Amino acid sequence: MTETTSEMRTATRTCPLCEAGCGLEITIARDEDGFERVQRIRGDMDDVFSHGFICPKGSTLKQLHDDPDRLRTPMIKRDGVHVAVTWVEAWEEIAARLPDVIDGHGRESIGVFIGNPGAHSLSAMTFSRALLTGLGTRARFSASTVDQMPRHVAAGHVFGSAVAVPVPDLDRTDHLVILGANPYASNGSLCTAPDFPGRLEAIQGRGGKVVVVDPRRSRTADHADEWISIRPGTDALLLAAIAQVLIGDGLADVGDHVRAYVGGLERLGSAFAPFTPEAVASPTGVAAATIRKMAQDLAAAPTAAVYGRIGTTTTEFGSTTSWLVDVVNTLSGNLDRPGGSMFATPVAGGATTRGRPGSGKGFQVGRGHSRVSGHPEVMGEYPVGSLAEEITTPGAGRLRALVTLAGNPVLSTPNSNQLASALDELEFMVSIDLYLNETTRHADVILPVPSQLERSHYDLLLLQFAIRNVANYSEPVLPLADGQPDEWEVISKLSLIAQGLGPDADPAIIDDMVIDGMIENAVKDEFSNVFGREPYELRGELDAMGRRGPERMIDFMLRTGPFGDGFGANLDGTSMDDLLDYPHGRDFGALVPRIPAILRTPTGRIELAPDVFVDDLGRLAAAVPALTERDFVLVGRRHLRSNNSWMHNIDVLVKGRQRCTLQVHPDDAHALGLNDGGVVRVTSRVGELVAPIEVTDAIRPGVVSLPHGWGHDLPGTQMRVAAEHAGVNANVLTDDQALDPLSGTSVLNGIPVSLEPA
Ligand SMILES: Nc1nc2c(c(=O)[nH]1)N[C@H]1C(S)=C(S)[C@@H](COP(=O)(O)OP(=O)(O)OC[C@H]3O[C@@H](n4cnc5c(=O)[nH]c(N)nc54)[C@H](O)[C@@H]3O)O[C@H]1N2
Ligand SMILES: Nc1nc2c(c(=O)[nH]1)N[C@H]1C(S)=C(S)[C@@H](COP(=O)(O)OP(=O)(O)OC[C@H]3O[C@@H](n4cnc5c(=O)[nH]c(N)nc54)[C@H](O)[C@@H]3O)O[C@H]1N2
Ligand code: SF4
Ligand SMILES: [Mo]
C-alpha cells in the first residue's frame, strides 16, 4: 500500500526475513533520473501486530536490494566458472540438459531441496508444490529435517494434523517455560509474535514468571526470572519427570474444557513412572527439587504454557520431546485455553480450517522409505542428512540431478563437507537463489529471484503459528527489474520444462492449473463457504479482479477462509480487496479455543499417548548412559544480527566483533589450556575445524557452542563481504548419521566433540 507525495512516497511491508513478520515503513524517493530508491526503512508504528517493533535486520532490506553481489541475471557454469547469461540462454540450457537426466535415469534420479526462505517467500509457498509435481520425484528434502519436523510429527500423531501446532498464548499467560529457544536473538519460531522480547517482559510486568531451560545463559535466560541449565539432549527426560510429578502427585487435571476429548490418559501414569525427578536429575543435570518445583508451578499458575524450540527439536529425541511439551501443557490444564497453549485460526490457507472439523484421516509416516538407509518418509520428504548418500551410493534410483530452492545446504546441513563433494558428482544441478554462494557454486544453472522489495508478501505459513489471528498483505515496494521474472514464474517455468514443455513454456499454464485445483477442492468440500458453487463462476469472479499468480490464490484463500466473504456468502468477510484497505494489517483478534474442531484424528480425540511416543520412552531410558558419558558436547546458537547462512553479505550486519566463536566455560578452558581470543581444534566423528575461542561463564561446563551458517571462505562464490567475515562452518562437525528416527531430523544440538589447543 502506497501513499504518494511529489517525489517521496511511503510504503508498508511485512518483513520476510524471520518468523516475527514485523511491519516495516519504507520511504522511497525518486532521484533526478526518475529512479526510485529506498531512503529509509523503519518499524511501522501502526502495524496491528508489531506496533513499530523492528530488529537490526529489518532495515537491511535496502542493503540487500542494493547489494552488488545479489544476482541480477541467470548464471551458467562453463568450464568450472559461473558466467552471466540471459534468461533465454538459461532456460535453453535447462531444457537441453534436464530431460536427458530424466530420460537416462528416470524422474526418481532428481532430488529437490527447499530451504528456509521458501517458507518466507509467497511465490515459493504457493508454487513449490507445482515444482515437485512437475519434477515428478519423491526424492524431496527440505530444511524441515534440520529444524521443526519433530514438532509436526508430534502434532500429527496427537491432533491428527501436522500443522495443528499449539503456540504459547504469550499475551495472556501467567507462567511461561521456554526450552531450547532464545527469542531475544531469534525473535521466535513456530510462534509468530513480533517483539517476542517485549511480550516476555510484559508477562513479568503483569506479575507472571518466565523460566528458561537452556545449557547456555542466553539473552532470554538472562532476562528470565529463572535460568535452568540443562545437559544438552535431555529435555525429554526433564519433561517426562515433570509429567511424572503431575500425575504421581495428583496435580494433573486436563480441565473440563477438553476432558471429553482427551484419549490415552490412563496409559501415561505407568509410562512415566520410571522417570522420577530423582532418576533424571543426574542425566539432565537439573536437581530433583527444581524439577518438582517446575511441575508444581505449572499446576499452580492460573495459566501456564510450555514452549520448546530448536534446542529441543534438533536432538535425538526431538519428536518425543515435542510430544512431551504437549503432554505437560495438557496435564497442567493449559491446552487450548487462553493463557495456555493454543491454536491459531489462520485467516488464509490453513489446513486445519478446511474439511470436516473434529476428525479426519489422521497422520501417517513411512509411505515410502529412502533408498540407501531406509528412512521412513515424513510429510512427503526424507531426512536431508541422507541427501549426500543418495547422491553417492550407486544403484537404481541414485540421485543424478538436484534442484535447490532458497536453500544453502552446504552450510546448513550436517556433515557438510561430505555433501559438498557429493554435489560435484551430480550430472546436473539447478539453483533458484539470490546469490552465488557455498551451495549454488555447485549449480550448472542459477536462476535469480527478485529482491525482497520487488515482490509481494503474505505470511501464508507462519501466520498459522501466530499468537493472534492476523492477516497482512504487502504489495511489492519496487517494480521488478527489467527482464526479471517473478519467483513464481521462475518456479513454474522450471516445472514445465521438467514436464517436457520446453524453454518457451508459459508459466501461466501452471498458475491456472493450481487455482483451478484449489477451486475444485473447495467447491467439493461440504464445510467450505463455497460448497456446491460453480467453479467457472468463482474463477470468473476472481479473474475479474485482474490478479494472477500468488495474488489470485491469496484472494481465493482469504475469501474461502474462516473469515472470508465466501464470494458473497458473508458480506462482511475478508478478501484481497478488503486487505488492501488495511495497509497495516487486519487484526482478527486473540486466539480462540479450537478443540474439538481442529482435531483430525480418526477417533476425533486428542491422542495423548500414541504408541510411537510411549514406545520411544524405552529408547529414551536406554540412551541415558550415552547421553551422560560424553566429554564435550556441541550446541548451536543464534545472533540477532545474523540470519542462518545468507545475510552475511550485508556489511552493517557483520561488521564489528567476530560472532562466529566457540563458547567455552572458564573451567573447561582452564583445564584444557585454552585462552579467550585464542583458537581451538574441535573434532567430531565426521570432521574437524579450528575456531576462535570465547571464554564465558554463560555456558554450562562440558558444553561448547558454535553458531551455524558461517564458513564463507569456499572458492567459487561471489559474496565479497561474507568472505571477509568468513567464520567457520559448524556443520562440518555435525553428523549426518545422527538423527531423530521418528522425524528424520538431524541432531544439531548435543554433538559429541573433543577439543585441543590449536
Ligand atoms: N548446526 C546447525 N545447523 C543448522 C541449524 C542450527 O541451529 N545448527 N539451524 C537449521 C535451521 S533451523 C534452518 S531453517 C536451516 C536453514 O538453512 P537453509 O534452509 O539452507 O537456509 P539459509 O541458510 O537461510 O539459506 C537460504 C538460501 O536461500 C537464498 N534465498 C534467500 N531468500 C530467498 C528467496 O526469497 N528465494 C530464493 N529462491 N532464495 C532465497 C539465500 O541466498 C541462501 O542461499 O539451517 C539449519 N542448520
Ligand atoms: N537473528 C536470527 N534470528 C533467527 C534465525 C537466525 O539465524 N538469526 N534463524 C531463524 C530460524 S530458521 C529458526 S528455526 C529460529 C530458531 O529460533 P530458536 O529456537 O529461538 O533458536 P536459537 O536462537 O538458536 O535458540 C536455541 C537455544 O537452544 C539452546 N539449546 C541447545 N541445545 C539445547 C538442549 O539440548 N536443550 C535445551 N533446552 N536448549 C538447548 C541453545 O543454547 C540456544 O540458546 O530462529 C529464526 N530466527
Ligand atoms: S524481527 Fe527483524 S528480521 Fe524478524 S521480521 Fe522483525 S525486523 Fe524482520
Ligand atoms: Mo529454521
Side-chain angles (χ1 to χ4, degrees):
M1 184 53 57
T2 299
E3 283 164 32
T4 314
T5 61
S6 54
E7 62 292 297
M8 295 256 261
R9 65 185 172 96
T10 310
T12 56
R13 189 200 201 299
T14 306
C15 176
L17 293 176
C18 89
E19 294 175 47
C22 301
L24 306 177
E25 184 196 281
I26 305 178
T27 313
I28 302 124
R30 191 180 293 280
D31 67 18
E32 286 133 26
D33 303 325
F35 280 110
E36 287 203 318
R37 288 188 196 286
V38 170
Q39 272 211 325
R40 188 186 62 203
I41 301 184
R42 60 179 186 184
D44 175 8
M45 301 306 287
D46 298 321
D47 186 278
V48 294
F49 207 3
S50 60
H51 309 291
F53 178 83
I54 182 174
C55 87
K57 295 184 295 298
S59 65
T60 65
L61 289 184
K62 170 180 161 56
Q63 284 84 344
L64 190 58
H65 176 78
D66 294 335
D67 186 352
D69 286 338
R70 181 172 64 78
L71 300 180
R72 266 91 170 163
T73 69
M75 308 283 273
I76 293 183
K77 200 179 199 173
R78 296 215 168 101
D79 303 321
V81 178
H82 282 97
V83 295
V85 296
T86 64
W87 280 97
V88 171
E89 287 171 293
W91 292 125
E92 282 175 350
E93 180 84 4
I94 296 172
R97 295 181 62 185
L98 188 58
D100 280 357
V101 181
I102 296 172
D103 293 345
H105 313 291
R107 290 188 177 272
E108 290 305 318
S109 72
I110 312 177
V112 188
F113 176 82
I114 301 181
N116 171 275
H120 300 268
S121 154
L122 178 56
S123 284
M125 283 181 284
T126 44
F127 283 85
S128 56
R129 182 166 298 275
L131 175 62
L132 297 171
T133 314
L135 291 168
T137 177
R138 278 167 297 178
R140 303 170 181 182
F141 306 84
S142 86
S144 294
T145 53
V146 278
D147 189 349
Q148 84 292 0
M149 192 63 102
R151 196 41 276 189
H152 294 309
V153 168
H157 289 301
V158 175
F159 305 112
S161 162
V163 293
V165 171
V167 296
D169 187 13
L170 293 184
D171 293 347
R172 291 181 289 186
T173 197
D174 299 289
H175 186 88
L176 180 67
V177 178
I178 299 178
L179 304 104
N182 182 14
Y184 274 81
S186 69
N187 280 301
S189 180
L190 283 191
C191 177
T192 302
D195 192 14
F196 206 124
R199 293 174 200 267
L200 295 183
E201 283 153 30
I203 296 174
Q204 296 169 314
R206 57 180 182 262
K209 190 172 171 187
V210 177
V211 178
V212 172
V213 180
D214 197 305
R216 296 185 316 115
R217 196 179 67 238
S218 63
R219 272 186 71 197
T220 308
D222 244 345
H223 283 81
D225 299 279
E226 192 176 350
W227 168 43
I228 294 171
S229 163
I230 189 169
R231 187 193 304 271
T234 66
D235 297 78
L237 291 169
L238 175 75
L239 290 164
I242 291 174
Q244 192 279 324
V245 175
L246 290 173
I247 297 171
D249 292 3
L251 300 172
D253 181 0
V254 300
D256 290 341
H257 63 297
V258 294
R259 199 174 318 280
Y261 303 102
V262 179
L265 266 180
E266 66 290 347
R267 297 185 72 188
L268 293 179
S270 59
F272 294 130
F275 298 92
T276 60
E278 289 69 23
V280 307
S282 160
T284 56
V286 183
T290 307
I291 301 175
R292 282 190 189 284
K293 179 82 171 32
M294 287 181 82
Q296 287 156 359
D297 285 353
L298 282 168
T303 64
V306 179
Y307 164 64
R309 209 35 204 103
I310 206 89
T312 62
T313 54
T314 54
T315 63
E316 261 175 275
F317 298 94
S319 298
T320 295
T321 311
S322 300
W323 164 65
L324 287 163
V325 167
D326 293 339
V327 167
V328 170
N329 279 321
T330 308
L331 293 180
S332 63
N334 286 298
L335 181 68
D336 201 40
R337 69 156 172 174
S341 183
M342 301 191 79
F343 302 93
T345 307
V347 181
T352 63
T353 58
R354 284 196 294 268
R356 176 176 296 281
S359 65
K361 284 206 299 277
F363 180 69
Q364 266 191 320
V365 299
R367 291 165 295 187
H369 288 83
S370 73
R371 181 179 67 99
V372 179
S373 291
H375 296 299
E377 159 277 343
V378 178
M379 289 182 83
E381 34 182 292
Y382 293 108
V384 69
S386 67
L387 175 56
E389 68 184 22
E390 292 293 334
I391 298 171
T392 56
T393 310
R398 175 181 182 182
L399 296 185
R400 309 309 269 278
L402 182 70
V403 174
T404 69
L405 171 64
N408 190 6
V410 167
L411 292 190
S412 56
T413 69
N415 199 354
S416 36
N417 282 346
Q418 173 182 273
L419 179 63
S421 42
L423 296 183
D424 286 332
E425 293 184 27
L426 292 167
E427 287 176 19
F428 191 55
M429 177 169 159
V430 179
S431 291
I432 304 177
D433 207 284
L434 293 165
Y435 284 104
L436 173 47
N437 65 13
E438 298 76 15
T439 296
T440 62
R441 73 194 171 120
H442 296 271
D444 297 285
V445 183
I446 310 173
L447 303 169
V449 297
S451 90
Q452 274 66 11
L453 294 176
E454 293 168 335
R455 41 174 131 141
S456 58
H457 191 69
Y458 184 97
D459 258 318
L460 205 43
L461 189 66
L462 301 169
L463 288 170
Q464 306 203 27
F465 313 116
I467 62 150
R468 286 189 76 82
N469 296 319
V470 166
N472 202 338
Y473 170 75
S474 319
E475 293 179 305
V477 172
L478 297 170
L480 284 174
D482 268 351
Q484 170 68 53
D486 208 341
E487 184 165 18
W488 70 268
E489 295 174 299
V490 176
I491 297 170
S492 298
K493 183 107 139 185
L494 182 58
S495 170
L496 291 165
I497 293 176
Q499 292 173 63
L501 285 142
D504 301 321
D506 182 357
I509 301 172
I510 299 259
D511 186 24
D512 288 342
M513 269 171 42
V514 176
I515 192 75
D516 284 338
M518 287 169 62
I519 296 173
E520 204 67 50
N521 286 336
V523 298
K524 281 193 304 213
D525 174 359
E526 60 175 299
F527 301 96
S528 157
N529 60 12
V530 293
F531 175 59
R533 299 277 295 269
E534 284 296 340
Y536 73 88
E537 266 179 33
L538 301 184
R539 172 74 191 270
E541 274 197 52
L542 279 177
D543 286 357
M545 311 309 298
R547 299 190 179 101
R548 297 228 58 139
E551 275 62 38
R552 186 169 57 175
M553 291 179 198
I554 292 288
D555 193 19
F556 186 73
M557 289 188 247
L558 287 166
R559 299 178 78 172
T560 55
F563 305 94
D565 74 4
F567 290 83
N570 167 15
L571 290 178
D572 298 329
T574 192
S575 64
M576 182 66 103
D577 266 3
D578 173 55
L579 281 197
L580 290 173
D581 289 337
Y582 292 86
H584 310 286
R586 183 167 175 194
D587 183 20
F588 290 88
L591 302 190
V592 292
R594 291 204 59 203
I595 287 173
I598 196 169
L599 299 175
R600 293 294 185 274
T601 50
T603 55
R605 308 232 283 171
I606 301 162
E607 300 294 356
L608 204 57
D611 288 341
V612 277
F613 298 130
V614 173
D615 292 349
D616 205 39
L617 292 175
R619 185 174 68 97
L620 177 64
V624 166
L627 286 168
T628 29
E629 275 159 15
R630 296 159 173 182
D631 236 4
F632 283 99
V633 290
L634 176 73
V635 301
R637 69 176 188 270
R638 282 171 167 75
H639 192 282
L640 187 58
R641 303 184 81 88
S642 172
N643 194 22
N644 294 320
S645 75
W646 72 280
M647 294 282 289
H648 298 155
N649 211 49
I650 310 292
D651 189 55
V652 289
L653 292 177
V654 290
K655 70 181 183 204
R657 198 167 50 86
Q658 156 82 283
R659 298 201 185 88
C660 184
T661 56
L662 188 84
Q663 293 183 335
V664 185
H665 189 271
D667 294 350
D668 293 330
H670 182 74
L672 293 166
L674 304 175
N675 296 315
D676 190 68
V679 290
V680 55
R681 182 178 308 278
V682 192
T683 310
S684 74
R685 187 188 77 84
V686 301
E688 63 167 50
L689 53 75
V690 173
I693 302 166
E694 179 187 342
V695 176
T696 167
D697 68 358
I699 191 156
R700 200 185 154 80
V703 181
V704 292
S705 166
L706 190 65
H708 74 285
W710 299 90
H712 303 296
D713 51 357
L714 300 178
T717 62
Q718 184 187 305
M719 297 183 75
R720 278 162 285 199
V721 176
E724 286 166 22
H725 304 264
V728 292
N729 177 6
N731 284 314
V732 164
L733 299 170
T734 52
D735 191 335
D736 55 301
Q737 302 288 318
L739 46 76
D740 163 32
L742 304 186
S743 67
T745 303
S746 294
V747 179
L748 304 174
N749 284 295
I751 291 284
V753 290
S754 57
L755 307 181
E756 54 179 317

